[in-house]
Amino acid sequence: MELEDWVLDIIVCPKCRASLRAEDAASELVCTGCGLAYPVRDNIPVLLVEEARKP
Amino acid sequence: MTIPLNVARLDHPRFSAAAAGARLGGVDSRGVRAFFEQVSAQWDDMRSSFYNEDVIDALAEHGRVTAASRVVDVGTGTGFVAAGLAGRAGTVTGIDNSPAMLAVAARNLAALDAGNVQLVQGELERLPFADGSVDVAVANMVLHHAPDPGRMLGEMARVVRPGGMIAVTDEVEHPYEWMRAEQADVWLGFTPAQVEGYFGQSRLAGYGYASLGTQ
């Protein structure tokens, strides 16, 4: 997973709109607000609530 | 096949407002996604009969895209507009709800070696972008697939900074009913009054409307 800083400045959690923290080891984006973890597949963040892993 | 295209331009979004829109036809966003999942491999050939590179020039011009612009391409599909704007903008983020279309976009963009483009999968009527986080939001031939066009434009207005721009290209109103079934179109184009209504719901500071001619 190689997301540049400018991407993390724009994307947010679609559920609560808090910012996302990159967890490179798990290839996930974790919401700093509600904790939902979004998968990143082939370097494409999948920012869908129904695809997120609950904390 | 001749369908006139228009570009609508909006100035200075301030904030968004939820909009309630009536849905026509039997296609919902899931149906639209299913359609594009099926046609992703053929889409670049299919769409070439509907529009060409002129839409990229129009979106860049009316969206006032500069080398510093942070651009979001809503409904990026196979990345045609995102790829076209990559060389003119600072960054381009392309979002779509179809993973198959995004897979084609990723291949197209890799061939271009555009390092300033990021693809994201998400819902167009619930954009996963922060308020005021970009300078320009564009959408090419996407609005007629939106069950609630006012909501989609409202979301675009929300993510664009105050003073930023939204540029949309789409079909003017047309009578081709078959496009609902064959192209997953929810709307058969738009009248200027419809577009004005949607933009009014988004409480934008101003807007313009220009013909792109017939393609």
Side-chain angles (χ1 to χ4, degrees), chain B residues 13-131:
Chain B
R14 299 290 180 208
F15 49 87
S16 66
R23 203 181 90 213
L24 298 179
V27 187
D28 61 12
S29 57
R30 246 170 230 211
V32 173
R33 182 172 61 190
F35 169 78
F36 283 109
E37 286 286 289
Q38 286 174 4
V39 302
S40 61
Q42 298 86 41
W43 181 250
D44 279 330
D45 287 331
M46 290 170 66
R47 63 101 188 137
S48 63
S49 63
F50 290 101
Y51 54 85
N52 59 27
E53 283 72 9
D54 289 350
V55 298
I56 296 170
D57 291 337
L59 291 168
E61 178 193 341
H62 292 279
R64 297 179 192 162
V65 173
T66 72
S69 298
R70 297 161 297 173
V71 180
V72 164
D73 180 24
V74 176
T76 195
T78 56
F80 174 67
V81 169
L85 291 178
R88 313 183 192 195
T91 63
V92 182
T93 306
I95 181 166
D96 207 276
N97 67 3
S98 163
M101 295 290 275
L102 287 170
V104 177
R107 283 201 299 275
N108 288 342
L109 290 164
L112 198 69
D113 198 23
N116 61 338
V117 182
Q118 175 68 47
L119 298 173
V120 171
Q121 188 185 342
E123 297 298 334
L124 307 192
E125 295 177 352
R126 193 179 187 174
L127 294 177
F129 304 127
D131 295 3

Side-chain angles (χ1 to χ4, degrees), chain A residues 32-48:
Chain A
T32 57
C34 68
L36 284 179
Y38 297 91
V40 179
R41 296 178 188 139
D42 298 327
N43 218 42
I44 297 177
V46 181
L47 301 180
L48 297 168

Side-chain angles (χ1 to χ4, degrees), chain B residues 123-192:
Chain B
E123 297 298 334
L124 307 192
E125 295 177 352
R126 193 179 187 174
L127 294 177
F129 304 127
D131 295 3
S133 61
V134 299
D135 304 296
V136 184
V138 301
N140 174 49
M141 297 288 274
V142 179
L143 203 63
H144 64 266
H145 293 296
D148 189 338
R151 182 167 165 186
M152 185 184 127
L153 288 171
E155 277 289 273
M156 292 172 74
R158 178 182 65 78
V159 304
V160 168
R161 66 170 169 79
M165 300 291 290
I166 294 174
V168 174
T169 46
D170 215 291
E171 300 156 0
V172 298
E173 187 181 36
H174 65 76
Y176 306 115
E177 278 289 337
W178 57 267
M179 289 183 70
R180 292 191 199 277
E182 292 190 19
Q183 296 286 326
D185 290 2
V186 179
W187 302 84
L188 299 179
F190 299 95
T191 65

Side-chain angles (χ1 to χ4, degrees), chain B residues 184-202:
Chain B
D185 290 2
V186 179
W187 302 84
L188 299 179
F190 299 95
T191 65
Q194 273 176 299
V195 176
E196 186 172 1
Y198 297 140
F199 288 162
Q201 288 170 354
S202 297

